[in-house]
Amino acid sequence: MYGVERTGVRVVVSSPSDPDRVNDYNAWYDIYGTVVTHLGHLVNCFRFENPAAAGSKEDPRAVAIYDIVTPDPATAWPATENSARYPKYLFDDPRSSLVSPALRGSWSHGGSLAREGTHGAVTGVHVILSDGAGGAAREQWASAVLDTGLFYAASRFKLIEGFPEPATWLEVFETDEQDPLTAYSRALEALPGSRRAAEIEERQAGSFKFYSSYQAAY
């Protein structure tokens, strides 16, 4: 994290509005991600995709996860969006209309777990949006998932703000598996006797493979 500590994340879930122009969609996002991660509030952006997704709000194609490093994570997105260097000019590019957001929001960091030992570079993530329960129940489940050996890290975040009506909790499981899109389903198969806490109300979940990253060196 280049000597800084993550205090939260900014997440944008989206799909290309024209499935035949995925390359243009990604090209525009490459430029946007590079610029906004050099404004001092969001220092990293990791983009993940599921090429087999329907591209609907219920089954989106891509997720972008930005690391927030401001002491108060609630200030990060407003400070970024209102910065004099925020790249408003990029929205004059016709390719910007290809980005069809399904969800945008900021969450504060609530806790992380990591499996002992070394691991490879991230190949994908499983993202869960849910309501109900608290950090203890989520930490217990994350620990069980990490024990399967299919994920090396799990982080949870609590909602600050977002649109439209995001879930209270965001959980991100990181894997270095060769087939990241099936890692979570394989973890569930390895946990036949384990169950998520009944009070956790899952709203949306999906697995995505690594696509690209933009990192601002400090």
Side-chain angles (χ1 to χ4, degrees):
M1 286 290 295
Y2 301 101
V4 291
E5 183 177 353
R6 177 175 62 180
T7 58
V9 289
R10 176 76 181 173
V11 173
V12 179
V13 179
S14 67
S15 297
S17 58
D18 184 347
D20 294 328
R21 297 186 62 193
V22 173
N23 289 340
D24 287 336
Y25 160 86
N26 284 324
W28 183 88
Y29 227 127
D30 284 343
I31 301 170
Y32 178 83
T34 299
V35 175
V36 299
T37 52
H38 283 76
L39 301 184
H41 312 289
L42 313 175
V43 299
N44 304 314
C45 174
F46 294 89
R47 290 185 60 214
F48 302 88
E49 68 169 2
N50 181 353
S56 62
K57 289 188 176 181
E58 296 74 23
D59 187 21
R61 181 182 176 107
V63 58
I65 302 175
Y66 301 83
D67 286 332
I68 292 174
V69 296
T70 52
D72 179 1
T75 67
W77 177 244
T80 298
E81 191 176 32
N82 295 320
S83 169
R85 295 186 293 140
Y86 183 73
K88 295 180 180 178
Y89 60 89
L90 287 178
F91 294 93
D92 294 329
D93 185 329
R95 294 176 298 179
S96 68
S97 64
L98 293 171
V99 181
S100 179
L103 175 69
R104 290 166 287 185
S106 299
W107 284 260
S108 61
H109 184 232
S112 294
L113 292 175
R115 195 179 72 219
E116 292 185 3
T118 59
H119 61 80
V122 62
T123 58
V125 292
H126 185 75
V127 178
I128 301 174
L129 291 158
S130 63
D131 296 312
R138 295 168 190 281
E139 183 171 341
Q140 184 177 10
W141 176 253
S143 179
V145 171
L146 294 187
D147 284 344
T148 68
L150 292 164
F151 291 87
Y152 63 79
S155 299
R156 65 182 181 278
F157 306 88
K158 196 165 186 180
L159 181 67
I160 298 171
E161 58 79 28
F163 179 85
E165 299 181 356
T168 303
W169 291 94
L170 165 74
E171 293 168 281
V172 180
F173 294 82
E174 300 172 46
T175 183
D176 57 0
E177 287 287 299
Q178 187 174 359
D179 184 4
L181 296 180
T182 65
Y184 195 77
S185 61
R186 285 183 283 139
L188 295 182
E189 291 173 0
L191 293 168
S194 301
R195 295 287 183 273
R196 286 272 266 178
E199 62 268 29
I200 294 178
E201 305 164 11
E202 188 171 301
R203 282 220 230 158
Q204 191 171 7
S207 293
F208 304 85
K209 67 178 184 178
F210 176 79
Y211 175 77
S212 62
S213 65
Y214 322 107
Q215 301 170 316
Y218 274 68

